[in-house]
Amino acid sequence: MQMPAAYEVAPDDFGEGHHTTTGLSNTKLGMWAFLGSECLLFGGLISTYMLYRGRVAAGPGPEDVFDIPFTSISSFVLLMSSLTMVLAVVSIAQGDLKRFRTWVLTTAFLGAVFVSGQAYEFTVFYREGLGFTTSLFSSSFYVLTGFHGVHVTFGIMMLLALFGLSLRGRLGVGQAETVEIVGLYWHFVDIVWIVIFTVVYLIPA
């Protein structure tokens, strides 16, 4: 995956530690390996949803409950958080802690807006009769989108941890790679959501 231009910062700016023969540090290589395993996991969940999305023996189907405009806005908010994450990584690499804190908090806020929107959406679906055990479609839908929501929530926790470390003076240019690694995770959940949104909401069953 080609990195955004904003990530084109000199390697020394990240204060990286031990490197592998690939040129990547051990921690960054570990994150790429983790994201590779996550691709397999989400691939399995998406395949399961594709298999069951037409299985609606009783209860509402996707066309009865989905609110595409609402989910589109929520998706746009999440995608904008990738931009603010890039700005946070660039800020820490340049040693501008004030700007870093602003952008990392903005990223966490946008992620929280997305998760709140997903929780609201689940509540509305439940009131309209789409429970977890209503049909095979509903079960696969809640597992897939809920699992992604958990990933976003975990990402928010990591962003807030970075903010807390910066306030305590434990995060600076020398630890910029840590922010970049969290950024990789954040961009990953955003890209996965693009796939989920397309498959679940835009492609008719």
Side-chain angles (χ1 to χ4, degrees):
M1 180 175 63
Q2 185 175 2
M3 298 299 296
Y7 271 87
E8 294 177 359
V9 181
D12 289 344
D13 291 341
F14 290 111
E16 297 173 352
H18 300 291
H19 287 69
T20 64
T21 55
T22 63
L24 300 175
S25 67
N26 290 324
T27 50
K28 191 181 292 185
L29 187 63
M31 176 55 79
W32 278 115
F34 169 73
L35 295 181
S37 67
E38 288 286 282
C39 284
L40 296 176
L41 186 57
F42 274 105
L45 292 175
I46 292 173
S47 299
T48 302
Y49 173 81
M50 294 288 286
L51 183 64
Y52 292 139
R53 65 177 180 170
R55 304 289 184 89
V56 184
E63 67 280 0
D64 301 317
V65 295
F66 283 174
D67 185 346
I68 303 299
F70 176 83
T71 311
S72 297
I73 294 173
S74 181
S75 301
F76 178 76
V77 170
L78 184 63
L79 294 180
M80 286 301 97
S81 71
S82 269
L83 174 61
T84 57
M85 188 70 230
V86 169
L87 295 173
V89 172
V90 172
S91 298
I92 194 69
Q94 295 175 343
D96 191 338
L97 285 176
K98 184 177 180 181
R99 284 182 55 203
F100 164 74
R101 290 170 188 144
T102 299
W103 290 123
V104 80
L105 271 187
T106 302
T107 306
F109 172 75
L110 293 176
V113 170
F114 172 81
V115 173
S116 299
Q118 192 175 49
Y120 169 78
E121 188 179 51
F122 284 2
T123 302
V124 172
F125 290 172
Y126 181 77
R127 288 175 179 171
E128 294 183 359
L130 189 72
F132 182 78
T133 58
T134 300
S135 62
L136 289 174
F137 154 69
S138 67
S139 299
S140 58
F141 167 78
Y142 282 120
V143 170
L144 174 58
T145 56
F147 196 68
H148 178 268
V150 170
H151 276 67
V152 176
T153 303
F154 183 65
I156 293 171
M157 294 170 63
M158 289 195 292
L159 293 172
L160 294 178
L162 292 176
F163 178 77
L165 288 173
S166 72
L167 288 179
R168 294 173 182 158
R170 297 174 59 186
L171 192 67
V173 176
Q175 294 77 40
E177 188 187 60
T178 302
V179 180
E180 186 193 12
I181 290 172
V182 174
L184 289 175
Y185 175 86
W186 192 260
H187 295 312
F188 171 78
V189 296
D190 280 9
I191 292 170
V192 168
W193 178 253
I194 293 174
V195 176
I196 292 175
F197 178 67
T198 303
V199 170
V200 174
Y201 292 89
L202 300 183
I203 298 178

